[in-house]
Amino acid sequence: IGLVLVVSSAISERSGLNIYLLEGHNDKLLPNLAKSARLIFSIYMGYIIFGTILYCCVGVKPFDALTHAMTAVATGGFSTKANNVNTLVMEVSRSGEWRGVFVEIVSEFLMLAGGTNFVIHYSLFRGKFKVLRHFEFWAFVGVMILVWPFMVAGMTKYYNGNIAAGFRYGTFEMISGLSTCGFQAIDSYQAHAIGGSGIYGFSQISSTITPAEAATGYANGSLIQFPTYLLFLLGLVMIIGMQNGSTSGAVKMNRVSLCFMDIWWRIKKTVGIPEQKEVHMIYRYGNKTKVEKNEVTESWTYLGIYLVTLLIGATLMSAIIYGCNITKTDGLQTPYTWLDCFFEFSSCIGTVGLGCGITNVNTLPLLLWIEMIGMLLGRLEIFVYFTLVGKMIRRTRNHKFLYRKA
Protein backbone atom coordinates (compact mmCIF):
# COMPACT_ATOMS: atom_id res chain seq x y z
CA ILE A 1 0.00 0.00 0.00
CA GLY A 2 2.85 2.33 0.84
CA LEU A 3 4.27 3.71 4.05
CA VAL A 4 3.33 7.25 3.03
CA LEU A 5 -0.33 6.29 2.59
CA VAL A 6 -0.46 4.52 5.95
CA VAL A 7 1.25 7.39 7.77
CA SER A 8 -0.82 10.04 6.00
CA SER A 9 -4.01 8.36 7.19
CA ALA A 10 -2.86 8.74 10.79
CA ILE A 11 -1.61 12.37 10.76
CA SER A 12 -3.39 15.62 10.03
CA GLU A 13 -5.38 15.84 6.82
CA ARG A 14 -3.40 18.77 5.42
CA SER A 15 0.10 17.41 6.16
CA GLY A 16 -0.86 13.90 5.14
CA LEU A 17 -2.32 15.12 1.86
CA ASN A 18 0.84 17.07 1.01
CA ILE A 19 3.03 14.00 1.50
CA TYR A 20 0.49 11.83 -0.33
CA LEU A 21 0.60 14.12 -3.38
CA LEU A 22 4.39 14.30 -3.38
CA GLU A 23 4.62 10.51 -3.59
CA GLY A 24 2.89 10.70 -6.96
CA HIS A 25 -0.78 10.33 -6.00
CA ASN A 26 -3.16 12.98 -7.26
CA ASP A 27 -6.46 11.31 -6.49
CA LYS A 28 -8.54 10.43 -3.48
CA LEU A 29 -11.28 7.79 -3.57
CA LEU A 30 -13.24 9.58 -0.83
CA PRO A 31 -13.20 13.23 0.30
CA ASN A 32 -11.38 12.31 3.50
CA LEU A 33 -7.82 11.01 3.10
CA ALA A 34 -8.02 8.65 6.09
CA LYS A 35 -11.21 7.08 4.70
CA SER A 36 -9.54 6.76 1.28
CA ALA A 37 -6.60 4.96 2.91
CA ARG A 38 -8.92 2.50 4.66
CA LEU A 39 -10.85 1.86 1.45
CA ILE A 40 -7.61 1.22 -0.48
CA PHE A 41 -6.51 -1.13 2.29
CA SER A 42 -9.80 -3.06 1.96
CA ILE A 43 -9.42 -3.42 -1.81
CA TYR A 44 -5.79 -4.39 -1.35
CA MET A 45 -6.59 -7.10 1.21
CA GLY A 46 -9.43 -8.38 -0.95
CA TYR A 47 -7.05 -9.00 -3.84
CA ILE A 48 -4.56 -10.75 -1.54
CA ILE A 49 -7.23 -13.11 -0.21
CA PHE A 50 -8.60 -13.78 -3.70
CA GLY A 51 -5.09 -14.36 -5.06
CA THR A 52 -4.24 -16.75 -2.23
CA ILE A 53 -7.34 -18.81 -3.02
CA LEU A 54 -6.47 -18.91 -6.73
CA TYR A 55 -2.91 -20.04 -6.00
CA CYS A 56 -4.17 -22.81 -3.72
CA CYS A 57 -6.59 -23.97 -6.40
CA VAL A 58 -3.72 -24.68 -8.81
CA GLY A 59 -1.65 -26.60 -6.26
CA VAL A 60 0.46 -24.00 -4.45
CA LYS A 61 0.94 -24.64 -0.71
CA PRO A 62 -1.06 -22.23 1.50
CA PHE A 63 1.96 -20.41 2.94
CA ASP A 64 3.58 -19.97 -0.48
CA ALA A 65 0.19 -18.93 -1.89
CA LEU A 66 -0.25 -16.20 0.73
CA THR A 67 3.27 -14.80 0.44
CA HIS A 68 3.24 -14.72 -3.36
CA ALA A 69 -0.22 -13.12 -3.41
CA MET A 70 1.01 -10.44 -1.01
CA THR A 71 4.12 -9.62 -3.01
CA ALA A 72 2.30 -9.77 -6.37
CA VAL A 73 -0.39 -7.26 -5.39
CA ALA A 74 2.21 -5.11 -3.64
CA THR A 75 4.37 -5.38 -6.80
CA GLY A 76 7.21 -6.24 -4.44
CA GLY A 77 8.41 -9.40 -6.16
CA PHE A 78 9.84 -11.17 -3.11
CA SER A 79 9.48 -14.95 -3.08
CA THR A 80 9.89 -17.84 -0.67
CA LYS A 81 11.66 -19.77 -3.43
CA ALA A 82 15.34 -19.72 -4.42
CA ASN A 83 14.74 -18.71 -8.04
CA ASN A 84 11.50 -16.83 -7.52
CA VAL A 85 8.40 -17.87 -9.50
CA ASN A 86 10.57 -20.06 -11.73
CA THR A 87 11.18 -22.44 -8.80
CA LEU A 88 7.55 -22.26 -7.62
CA VAL A 89 6.31 -23.17 -11.11
CA MET A 90 8.66 -26.15 -11.37
CA GLU A 91 7.54 -27.46 -7.97
CA VAL A 92 3.85 -27.16 -8.79
CA SER A 93 4.32 -28.64 -12.28
CA ARG A 94 5.33 -32.01 -10.84
CA SER A 95 1.61 -32.62 -10.39
CA GLY A 96 0.85 -31.48 -13.93
CA GLU A 97 2.60 -29.07 -16.25
CA TRP A 98 -0.58 -27.06 -16.74
CA ARG A 99 -0.50 -26.08 -13.06
CA GLY A 100 2.72 -24.14 -13.58
CA VAL A 101 1.17 -22.21 -16.45
CA PHE A 102 -1.81 -21.25 -14.28
CA VAL A 103 0.50 -20.15 -11.45
CA GLU A 104 1.98 -17.65 -13.90
CA ILE A 105 -1.47 -16.54 -15.11
CA VAL A 106 -2.60 -15.92 -11.52
CA SER A 107 0.62 -13.98 -10.87
CA GLU A 108 0.05 -11.88 -14.00
CA PHE A 109 -3.48 -11.04 -12.93
CA LEU A 110 -2.36 -9.98 -9.44
CA MET A 111 0.56 -7.92 -10.79
CA LEU A 112 -1.79 -6.09 -13.17
CA ALA A 113 -4.26 -5.54 -10.34
CA GLY A 114 -1.53 -4.08 -8.15
CA GLY A 115 -0.35 -1.80 -10.95
CA THR A 116 -3.84 -0.43 -11.68
CA ASN A 117 -5.08 2.80 -10.14
CA PHE A 118 -7.26 2.17 -7.08
CA VAL A 119 -9.79 4.71 -8.35
CA ILE A 120 -10.38 2.40 -11.32
CA HIS A 121 -10.75 -0.62 -9.01
CA TYR A 122 -13.23 1.21 -6.80
CA SER A 123 -15.27 2.49 -9.74
CA LEU A 124 -15.40 -0.90 -11.45
CA PHE A 125 -16.60 -2.54 -8.23
CA ARG A 126 -19.42 0.01 -8.21
CA GLY A 127 -20.31 -0.82 -11.82
CA LYS A 128 -18.97 2.44 -13.27
CA PHE A 129 -17.25 1.12 -16.39
CA LYS A 130 -17.01 4.62 -17.79
CA VAL A 131 -13.90 4.99 -15.61
CA LEU A 132 -11.93 2.95 -18.17
CA ARG A 133 -12.05 6.01 -20.40
CA HIS A 134 -8.93 7.26 -18.68
CA PHE A 135 -5.83 8.50 -20.51
CA GLU A 136 -3.43 6.60 -18.28
CA PHE A 137 -5.24 3.29 -18.72
CA TRP A 138 -5.11 3.51 -22.51
CA ALA A 139 -1.48 4.62 -22.42
CA PHE A 140 -0.78 1.40 -20.52
CA VAL A 141 -2.65 -0.63 -23.15
CA GLY A 142 -0.66 1.11 -25.89
CA VAL A 143 2.68 0.32 -24.24
CA MET A 144 1.64 -3.32 -23.83
CA ILE A 145 0.69 -3.59 -27.52
CA LEU A 146 3.98 -2.01 -28.64
CA VAL A 147 6.27 -4.03 -26.37
CA TRP A 148 4.59 -7.44 -26.37
CA PRO A 149 5.51 -8.64 -29.93
CA PHE A 150 9.21 -7.88 -29.35
CA MET A 151 9.15 -9.69 -26.01
CA VAL A 152 7.51 -12.76 -27.52
CA ALA A 153 9.94 -12.81 -30.47
CA GLY A 154 12.99 -12.49 -28.20
CA MET A 155 11.81 -15.16 -25.76
CA THR A 156 10.99 -17.49 -28.66
CA LYS A 157 14.59 -17.16 -29.82
CA TYR A 158 15.85 -17.66 -26.24
CA TYR A 159 13.85 -20.89 -26.00
CA ASN A 160 15.25 -22.31 -29.23
CA GLY A 161 12.33 -21.37 -31.47
CA ASN A 162 9.61 -22.59 -29.09
CA ILE A 163 6.73 -20.19 -29.85
CA ALA A 164 4.62 -21.41 -26.90
CA ALA A 165 7.51 -20.71 -24.54
CA GLY A 166 8.10 -17.33 -26.19
CA PHE A 167 4.47 -16.34 -25.74
CA ARG A 168 4.42 -17.61 -22.17
CA TYR A 169 7.61 -16.04 -20.87
CA GLY A 170 7.53 -12.94 -23.05
CA THR A 171 4.12 -12.04 -21.63
CA PHE A 172 5.08 -12.81 -18.05
CA GLU A 173 8.39 -10.92 -17.99
CA MET A 174 6.83 -7.92 -19.73
CA ILE A 175 4.04 -7.67 -17.13
CA SER A 176 6.52 -8.23 -14.31
CA GLY A 177 8.79 -5.42 -15.53
CA LEU A 178 6.01 -2.98 -16.42
CA SER A 179 4.17 -3.48 -13.12
CA THR A 180 7.56 -3.16 -11.33
CA CYS A 181 6.78 -6.35 -9.43
CA GLY A 182 9.96 -8.23 -10.33
CA PHE A 183 8.64 -11.79 -10.38
CA GLN A 184 10.92 -13.87 -12.59
CA ALA A 185 9.61 -16.93 -14.42
CA ILE A 186 12.64 -17.57 -16.63
CA ASP A 187 15.77 -19.24 -15.25
CA SER A 188 18.38 -16.63 -16.23
CA TYR A 189 18.89 -13.27 -17.93
CA GLN A 190 22.34 -14.36 -19.14
CA ALA A 191 22.25 -17.73 -20.93
CA HIS A 192 20.97 -21.27 -20.55
CA ALA A 193 21.27 -24.77 -21.95
CA ILE A 194 18.25 -26.43 -23.48
CA GLY A 195 18.00 -30.20 -23.62
CA GLY A 196 14.37 -30.61 -24.65
CA SER A 197 12.14 -27.79 -23.59
CA GLY A 198 8.70 -29.27 -24.24
CA ILE A 199 5.64 -27.27 -25.21
CA TYR A 200 5.65 -25.12 -22.06
CA GLY A 201 9.29 -24.25 -22.35
CA PHE A 202 11.05 -25.12 -19.11
CA SER A 203 11.81 -28.86 -18.94
CA GLN A 204 15.51 -29.83 -18.96
CA ILE A 205 16.77 -26.23 -18.92
CA SER A 206 19.88 -25.28 -17.01
CA SER A 207 21.48 -21.88 -16.44
CA THR A 208 24.49 -23.40 -14.68
CA ILE A 209 27.14 -23.32 -17.41
CA THR A 210 30.73 -24.47 -17.06
CA PRO A 211 33.61 -23.12 -19.21
CA ALA A 212 33.93 -26.55 -20.84
CA GLU A 213 30.27 -26.49 -21.90
CA ALA A 214 30.57 -22.92 -23.12
CA ALA A 215 33.57 -23.75 -25.33
CA THR A 216 31.36 -25.60 -27.80
CA GLY A 217 27.79 -25.02 -26.58
CA TYR A 218 27.24 -21.57 -28.06
CA ALA A 219 28.62 -22.69 -31.41
CA ASN A 220 26.49 -25.83 -31.76
CA GLY A 221 23.31 -24.23 -30.42
CA SER A 222 22.94 -26.20 -27.19
CA LEU A 223 23.61 -22.98 -25.27
CA ILE A 224 21.66 -19.80 -26.00
CA GLN A 225 22.49 -16.30 -24.76
CA PHE A 226 19.74 -13.98 -23.60
CA PRO A 227 18.87 -11.43 -26.33
CA THR A 228 20.56 -8.15 -25.41
CA TYR A 229 17.80 -6.01 -26.91
CA LEU A 230 15.37 -7.50 -24.41
CA LEU A 231 17.52 -6.13 -21.57
CA PHE A 232 17.12 -2.65 -23.05
CA LEU A 233 13.39 -3.14 -23.68
CA LEU A 234 12.77 -4.44 -20.16
CA GLY A 235 14.86 -1.57 -18.82
CA LEU A 236 12.56 0.89 -20.58
CA VAL A 237 9.35 -0.66 -19.25
CA MET A 238 10.87 -0.71 -15.76
CA ILE A 239 11.45 3.04 -16.14
CA ILE A 240 7.84 3.65 -17.22
CA GLY A 241 6.01 1.58 -14.61
CA MET A 242 2.24 1.37 -14.43
CA GLN A 243 -0.49 3.67 -13.20
CA ASN A 244 -0.51 6.49 -10.71
CA GLY A 245 -2.37 5.70 -7.49
CA SER A 246 -1.28 2.05 -7.57
CA THR A 247 1.38 -0.02 -5.82
CA SER A 248 3.66 0.30 -8.87
CA GLY A 249 6.99 2.12 -8.75
CA ALA A 250 9.06 3.92 -11.43
CA VAL A 251 8.06 7.13 -13.26
CA LYS A 252 4.47 5.95 -13.77
CA MET A 253 2.28 6.01 -16.82
CA ASN A 254 0.57 9.36 -16.18
CA ARG A 255 3.83 11.33 -16.30
CA VAL A 256 5.19 9.49 -19.33
CA SER A 257 1.94 9.85 -21.28
CA LEU A 258 1.68 13.57 -20.45
CA CYS A 259 5.24 14.08 -21.71
CA PHE A 260 4.48 12.30 -24.99
CA MET A 261 1.22 14.20 -25.42
CA ASP A 262 3.11 17.45 -24.85
CA ILE A 263 5.56 16.45 -27.61
CA TRP A 264 2.62 15.75 -29.94
CA TRP A 265 0.97 19.09 -29.12
CA ARG A 266 4.24 20.90 -29.79
CA ILE A 267 4.71 19.09 -33.13
CA LYS A 268 1.19 20.06 -34.20
CA LYS A 269 1.89 23.67 -33.28
CA THR A 270 5.24 23.66 -35.12
CA VAL A 271 3.92 22.23 -38.39
CA GLY A 272 1.01 24.64 -38.30
CA ILE A 273 -1.89 22.25 -37.80
CA PRO A 274 -4.77 24.50 -36.70
CA GLU A 275 -6.24 23.81 -33.31
CA GLN A 276 -9.75 24.77 -32.33
CA LYS A 277 -8.68 25.49 -28.78
CA GLU A 278 -5.45 26.38 -27.06
CA VAL A 279 -6.63 24.44 -24.04
CA HIS A 280 -5.62 20.78 -24.09
CA MET A 281 -8.17 18.27 -22.85
CA ILE A 282 -7.79 14.62 -21.84
CA TYR A 283 -10.08 12.00 -20.35
CA ARG A 284 -9.66 11.26 -16.65
CA TYR A 285 -11.82 8.51 -15.19
CA GLY A 286 -14.44 9.01 -17.91
CA ASN A 287 -14.58 12.81 -17.71
CA LYS A 288 -12.97 15.25 -20.10
CA THR A 289 -10.69 17.55 -18.12
CA LYS A 290 -8.23 20.33 -18.81
CA VAL A 291 -4.48 19.64 -18.72
CA GLU A 292 -2.86 22.22 -16.47
CA LYS A 293 0.51 23.61 -17.49
CA ASN A 294 2.04 22.77 -14.10
CA GLU A 295 1.09 19.09 -14.59
CA VAL A 296 3.14 18.89 -17.77
CA THR A 297 6.02 20.82 -16.20
CA GLU A 298 6.06 18.52 -13.18
CA SER A 299 6.03 15.46 -15.44
CA TRP A 300 9.00 16.69 -17.51
CA THR A 301 10.91 17.73 -14.38
CA TYR A 302 10.41 14.41 -12.66
CA LEU A 303 11.22 12.41 -15.79
CA GLY A 304 14.40 14.44 -16.33
CA ILE A 305 15.62 14.02 -12.75
CA TYR A 306 14.77 10.32 -12.86
CA LEU A 307 16.68 9.70 -16.10
CA VAL A 308 19.72 11.68 -14.95
CA THR A 309 19.80 9.68 -11.71
CA LEU A 310 19.46 6.46 -13.70
CA LEU A 311 22.31 7.33 -16.07
CA ILE A 312 24.59 8.34 -13.20
CA GLY A 313 23.84 5.15 -11.26
CA ALA A 314 24.29 2.87 -14.28
CA THR A 315 27.56 4.58 -15.27
CA LEU A 316 28.97 4.38 -11.72
CA MET A 317 28.13 0.67 -11.58
CA SER A 318 29.70 0.09 -15.00
CA ALA A 319 32.90 1.91 -13.99
CA ILE A 320 33.24 -0.14 -10.78
CA ILE A 321 32.53 -3.42 -12.55
CA TYR A 322 35.05 -2.60 -15.29
CA GLY A 323 37.69 -1.60 -12.76
CA CYS A 324 37.21 -4.72 -10.67
CA ASN A 325 36.94 -7.00 -13.74
CA ILE A 326 33.62 -8.57 -12.67
CA THR A 327 32.35 -11.08 -15.23
CA LYS A 328 29.18 -13.01 -15.98
CA THR A 329 28.51 -16.64 -15.05
CA ASP A 330 27.77 -17.63 -18.65
CA GLY A 331 30.78 -19.93 -18.91
CA LEU A 332 32.63 -17.50 -21.17
CA GLN A 333 33.53 -15.08 -18.37
CA THR A 334 32.01 -12.29 -20.49
CA PRO A 335 32.42 -8.84 -18.91
CA TYR A 336 29.26 -7.03 -17.83
CA THR A 337 28.44 -4.17 -20.19
CA TRP A 338 26.92 -0.74 -19.58
CA LEU A 339 23.64 -2.17 -20.88
CA ASP A 340 23.69 -4.79 -18.12
CA CYS A 341 24.26 -2.01 -15.56
CA PHE A 342 21.44 0.02 -17.14
CA PHE A 343 19.12 -2.95 -16.75
CA GLU A 344 20.21 -3.59 -13.16
CA PHE A 345 19.95 0.03 -11.99
CA SER A 346 16.63 0.51 -13.84
CA SER A 347 15.39 -2.37 -11.72
CA CYS A 348 16.76 -0.72 -8.56
CA ILE A 349 15.44 2.80 -9.03
CA GLY A 350 12.12 1.41 -10.28
CA THR A 351 12.00 -0.88 -7.20
CA VAL A 352 11.45 -3.86 -9.48
CA GLY A 353 13.88 -6.62 -8.51
CA LEU A 354 14.71 -8.24 -11.84
CA GLY A 355 18.44 -8.79 -12.29
CA CYS A 356 20.94 -10.00 -14.88
CA GLY A 357 23.38 -11.43 -12.33
CA ILE A 358 25.23 -8.35 -11.08
CA THR A 359 23.41 -8.39 -7.74
CA ASN A 360 24.06 -11.57 -5.76
CA VAL A 361 25.51 -12.75 -2.44
CA ASN A 362 29.03 -11.90 -3.60
CA THR A 363 28.30 -8.41 -4.94
CA LEU A 364 30.77 -5.70 -3.90
CA PRO A 365 29.47 -3.56 -0.99
CA LEU A 366 30.02 -0.36 -3.02
CA LEU A 367 27.72 -1.64 -5.77
CA LEU A 368 25.12 -2.57 -3.19
CA TRP A 369 25.25 0.93 -1.70
CA ILE A 370 24.68 2.48 -5.12
CA GLU A 371 21.72 0.17 -5.67
CA MET A 372 20.27 0.88 -2.22
CA ILE A 373 20.45 4.63 -2.80
CA GLY A 374 18.66 4.09 -6.12
CA MET A 375 15.93 2.06 -4.44
CA LEU A 376 15.38 4.68 -1.74
CA LEU A 377 15.21 7.51 -4.28
CA GLY A 378 12.83 5.61 -6.54
CA ARG A 379 10.48 4.33 -3.86
CA LEU A 380 9.59 7.75 -2.41
CA GLU A 381 9.36 9.50 -5.78
CA ILE A 382 12.49 11.72 -5.34
CA PHE A 383 10.45 14.90 -4.75
CA VAL A 384 9.74 13.76 -1.19
CA TYR A 385 13.46 14.05 -0.45
CA PHE A 386 13.60 17.54 -1.96
CA THR A 387 10.73 18.57 0.29
CA LEU A 388 12.37 17.02 3.33
CA VAL A 389 15.72 18.73 2.65
CA GLY A 390 13.96 22.02 1.95
CA LYS A 391 12.10 21.90 5.25
CA MET A 392 15.27 21.02 7.13
CA ILE A 393 17.09 24.00 5.57
CA ARG A 394 14.23 26.37 6.38
CA ARG A 395 14.06 25.16 9.97
CA THR A 396 17.82 25.56 10.37
CA ARG A 397 17.65 29.11 9.03
CA ASN A 398 14.74 29.93 11.34
CA HIS A 399 16.63 28.58 14.36
CA LYS A 400 19.71 30.65 13.44
CA PHE A 401 17.54 33.76 13.06
CA LEU A 402 15.87 33.23 16.43
CA TYR A 403 19.25 32.57 18.07
CA ARG A 404 20.74 35.77 16.68
CA LYS A 405 17.66 37.73 17.69
CA ALA A 406 17.91 36.40 21.25
Side-chain angles (χ1 to χ4, degrees):
I1 303 174
L3 178 63
V4 167
L5 179 59
V6 174
V7 172
S8 63
S9 66
I11 62 179
S12 68
E13 180 72 16
R14 183 176 178 181
S15 299
L17 181 60
N18 288 338
I19 300 174
Y20 183 69
L21 294 174
L22 282 169
E23 202 201 12
H25 304 278
N26 57 11
D27 45 63
K28 292 192 293 181
L29 277 68
L30 298 173
N32 181 276
L33 182 60
K35 289 182 179 179
S36 294
R38 288 192 286 271
L39 179 58
I40 290 172
F41 182 77
S42 300
I43 297 171
Y44 183 86
M45 290 303 298
Y47 275 117
I48 289 175
I49 294 169
F50 183 57
T52 302
I53 294 170
L54 289 178
Y55 274 131
C56 289
C57 288
V58 295
V60 179
K61 295 177 182 178
F63 177 74
D64 292 334
L66 175 62
T67 52
H68 283 84
M70 290 171 63
T71 56
V73 177
T75 61
F78 288 103
S79 175
T80 54
K81 302 301 176 182
N83 201 26
N84 210 274
V85 171
N86 177 264
T87 304
L88 180 67
V89 165
M90 295 190 73
E91 288 181 1
V92 172
S93 297
R94 293 169 186 166
S95 301
E97 205 166 13
W98 64 271
R99 293 180 183 272
V101 177
F102 276 93
V103 165
E104 292 170 4
I105 292 173
V106 171
S107 300
E108 289 166 356
F109 165 74
L110 294 176
M111 288 188 288
L112 290 173
T116 301
N117 193 308
F118 279 101
V119 173
I120 293 179
H121 287 301
Y122 180 56
S123 300
L124 290 177
F125 290 147
R126 298 176 65 195
K128 296 183 177 180
F129 297 99
K130 181 184 176 182
V131 72
L132 293 177
R133 200 173 186 183
H134 177 53
F135 80 103
E136 195 179 13
F137 176 79
W138 289 105
F140 155 72
V141 173
V143 170
M144 291 271 285
I145 292 172
L146 285 173
V147 172
W148 183 73
F150 296 100
M151 289 296 303
V152 172
M155 286 297 180
T156 299
K157 175 68 175 177
Y158 192 43
Y159 282 86
N160 203 24
N162 189 323
I163 298 175
F167 179 86
R168 174 183 178 179
Y169 293 118
T171 304
F172 187 94
E173 300 302 316
M174 175 189 66
I175 293 174
S176 180
L178 190 59
S179 68
T180 72
C181 179
F183 273 167
Q184 183 173 326
I186 66 173
D187 56 307
S188 172
Y189 278 105
Q190 291 187 14
H192 60 198
I194 298 183
S197 62
I199 189 170
Y200 296 116
F202 68 80
S203 303
Q204 299 179 38
I205 290 180
S206 173
S207 54
T208 304
I209 302 169
T210 65
E213 292 173 328
T216 57
Y218 291 107
N220 63 29
S222 61
L223 296 178
I224 304 175
Q225 289 184 312
F226 189 79
T228 54
Y229 85 87
L230 288 188
L231 289 178
F232 179 71
L233 196 60
L234 282 168
L236 288 181
V237 299
M238 289 191 290
I239 291 170
I240 297 171
M242 279 187 63
Q243 297 177 33
N244 182 39
S246 69
T247 64
S248 175
V251 176
K252 292 191 174 68
M253 201 67 69
N254 66 317
R255 293 192 181 104
V256 175
S257 53
L258 280 174
C259 289
F260 273 96
M261 284 189 286
D262 185 50
I263 292 171
W264 171 242
W265 293 329
R266 289 172 184 271
I267 290 173
K268 286 176 66 177
K269 188 175 181 180
T270 302
V271 299
I273 298 176
E275 295 185 71
Q276 293 181 348
K277 297 180 181 179
E278 287 293 329
V279 178
H280 300 296
M281 308 291 287
I282 58 174
Y283 280 96
R284 286 190 176 97
Y285 311 116
N287 300 312
K288 207 168 187 179
T289 59
K290 177 184 174 182
V291 178
E292 301 292 343
K293 186 177 180 180
N294 66 317
E295 289 182 83
V296 178
T297 303
E298 187 273 341
S299 297
W300 276 116
T301 303
Y302 187 85
L303 181 61
I305 294 172
Y306 192 97
L307 291 177
V308 168
T309 306
L310 170 61
L311 292 174
I312 291 172
T315 303
L316 283 175
M317 289 182 66
S318 181
I320 294 167
I321 287 171
Y322 178 79
C324 297
N325 195 29
I326 300 172
T327 58
K328 299 180 182 180
T329 57
D330 58 358
L332 296 175
Q333 304 301 307
T334 308
Y336 283 105
T337 64
W338 186 88
L339 179 59
D340 295 314
C341 296
F342 167 80
F343 176 83
E344 202 85 3
F345 198 73
S346 295
S347 181
C348 292
I349 196 171
T351 64
V352 183
L354 296 176
C356 60
I358 294 174
T359 308
N360 54 63
V361 295
N362 299 314
T363 301
L364 292 175
L366 184 56
L367 288 174
L368 292 177
W369 274 107
I370 292 172
E371 291 178 322
M372 285 189 286
I373 291 170
M375 287 186 279
L376 286 171
L377 288 173
R379 182 62 272 176
L380 286 182
E381 296 270 338
I382 299 177
F383 284 158
V384 173
Y385 294 100
F386 290 160
T387 303
L388 178 62
V389 172
K391 285 187 175 182
M392 290 173 66
I393 293 172
R394 285 195 298 272
R395 286 186 179 181
T396 302
R397 286 177 177 175
N398 290 337
H399 281 303
K400 286 182 178 180
F401 175 76
L402 291 173
Y403 177 77
R404 288 173 183 174
K405 191 175 180 180

